[in-house]
Amino acid sequence: MANSKNKFDIVAHKKLYLIIPAAILAATILVILLFGAKVSIEFTGGTILQYSYTGEEINVNEVSASVSDLGFNSAVITTGSAFGSDLQLLNFSFSASDGMGNDEQAQVTAMLQQKYPDKAITLENNQNVSATTGMSFFLKCLVAFVFAFLVFIIYIAYRFKKIGGWSTGIFALIALLIDIIVVVAVFVFFRLPIDSIFMAVILTIMGYSINNTIIVFDRVRENKSLQNRQLSARELINKSVRQSLTRSINTTVTTAAALLALSIVAVIFGVATILNFAFPLTIGLVSGIFTSLCVSGTFWATWQERKIRKG
């Protein structure tokens, strides 16, 4: 057992912890440059129309061609099912440049009802968002992110001032940034709309990740005060991560399994909003366990060793 503990060296792979997020970030930027990101009109501005209908699912390509004939070429059309109902849903998103007034919306409604007279098509919801309102909403979300980051840093710096203070807060922030990169990559790679759900996923991941990071640094603080002999920063992190490993993994796996089951249900019933939240959150939780156990503590130990060498 002693040998297995000695072989456990989480800090030894610190270069890998930089290479993995760097590769994900580079791939995400490349996809955005080549194909762009699917940004919701909540941020860009435009019009959202939602219709309900009965019977078999409508062919999206047919509807798209009919909408283009009306002169709206930038419509994004998705289908789904109303949760707890036999009704099917048809969703339209029009960009700000093609924002629609009441007359244009009436044209789309009339076209659908004429094209599918047996499906009882009904306009359930319509929403117009100006580009100015969308940008204002985006800036408010950005302010919320920055504020949350600052609160996390200050809280961790104060709570762990005996083991480095501000350095623990900074490395916890680096771990959070990697989690955000992973979540953005999921939304970009799987062409999920970047909207308010995206913001909710980011804030939720921040909470889970910072909680796991606090568990590790709590162990570091306890081990530093309880050890009769002076442990190096590397030994402290390796021991603390080993002690936190089972608890952190069990908590994350339990939550991720529930979210994965929710994602499967969302796919079966075609509930896009639930899927857009549960699936990236599942991936973000996996990233959070990686960064809290491997990244924040490893960089903290490296920083402490560097300070000792300089001292």
Side-chain angles (χ1 to χ4, degrees):
M1 180 67 103
N3 290 335
S4 65
K5 289 184 178 180
N6 292 334
K7 290 179 182 178
F8 185 89
D9 191 356
I10 202 77
V11 182
H13 308 288
K14 55 188 175 184
K15 291 184 179 178
L16 183 64
Y17 307 149
L18 287 176
I19 292 173
I20 292 175
I24 294 174
L25 177 60
T28 303
I29 293 174
L30 182 62
V31 172
I32 291 175
L33 292 176
L34 292 177
F35 306 104
K38 190 176 179 182
V39 183
S40 169
I41 66 171
E42 290 180 25
F43 294 152
T44 61
T47 302
I48 298 175
L49 302 177
Q50 183 179 73
Y51 294 89
S52 65
Y53 64 94
T54 58
E56 296 182 359
E57 185 175 324
I58 289 177
N59 187 299
V60 172
N61 293 328
E62 290 181 359
V63 176
S64 179
S66 299
V67 171
S68 296
D69 292 339
L70 294 177
F72 303 105
N73 297 317
S74 61
V76 177
I77 305 171
T78 59
T79 59
S81 301
F83 195 69
S85 171
D86 293 333
L87 293 175
Q88 303 288 332
L89 297 177
L90 189 64
N91 304 300
F92 294 81
S93 296
F94 298 88
S95 66
S97 60
D98 290 326
M100 304 171 65
N102 293 332
D103 293 341
E104 288 81 4
Q105 294 179 27
Q107 289 180 24
V108 174
T109 302
M111 179 273 294
L112 290 172
Q113 292 174 343
Q114 182 178 359
K115 189 175 182 66
Y116 304 101
D118 57 334
K119 292 189 176 294
I121 292 178
T122 305
L123 178 63
E124 298 290 346
N125 182 38
N126 64 323
Q127 181 181 4
N128 280 313
V129 180
S130 69
T132 303
T133 303
M135 181 55 66
S136 175
F137 179 56
F138 174 77
L139 291 176
K140 289 178 181 178
C141 292
L142 190 60
V143 169
F145 284 154
V146 174
F147 180 75
F149 276 129
L150 291 176
V151 170
F152 283 146
I153 292 176
I154 294 171
Y155 170 73
I156 293 177
Y158 176 77
R159 179 166 178 174
F160 300 108
K161 56 185 177 182
K162 292 183 178 180
I163 60 170
W166 288 106
S167 63
T168 58
I170 295 299
F171 295 123
L173 173 61
I174 292 174
L176 287 178
L177 290 175
I178 293 174
D179 294 331
I180 291 175
I181 289 172
V182 171
V183 172
V184 171
V186 172
F187 274 83
V188 170
F189 293 159
F190 291 92
R191 313 307 296 166
L192 301 179
I194 296 177
D195 53 12
S196 56
I197 293 177
F198 168 79
M199 301 300 180
V201 171
I202 293 291
L203 291 173
T204 305
I205 289 300
M206 288 171 62
Y208 270 96
S209 180
I210 209 68
N211 180 64
N212 284 331
T213 301
I214 287 173
I215 291 172
V216 174
F217 281 134
D218 258 334
R219 286 291 187 178
V220 172
R221 183 177 58 184
E222 291 173 4
N223 289 328
K224 186 175 182 179
S225 62
L226 292 175
Q227 292 300 316
N228 293 325
R229 68 185 182 89
Q230 184 69 26
L231 293 179
S232 68
R234 178 184 291 254
E235 289 171 328
L236 276 172
I237 286 299
N238 286 332
K239 181 174 183 177
S240 301
V241 169
R242 187 174 63 245
Q243 293 172 337
S244 309
L245 195 63
T246 301
R247 174 184 174 182
S248 297
I249 289 179
N250 287 343
T251 301
T252 302
V253 167
T254 302
T255 308
L259 287 170
L260 187 59
L262 186 61
S263 299
I264 294 173
V265 172
V267 170
I268 294 173
F269 289 97
V271 187
T273 52
I274 295 179
L275 180 63
N276 293 350
F277 177 79
F279 175 65
L281 185 56
T282 304
I283 305 301
L285 286 177
V286 176
S287 172
I289 196 70
F290 162 73
T291 56
S292 59
L293 293 177
C294 300
V295 174
S296 53
T298 295
F299 291 165
W300 175 86
T302 303
W303 175 258
Q304 296 299 322
E305 291 175 346
R306 182 172 178 271
K307 284 173 62 179
I308 293 173
R309 287 197 302 268
K310 278 192 169 185

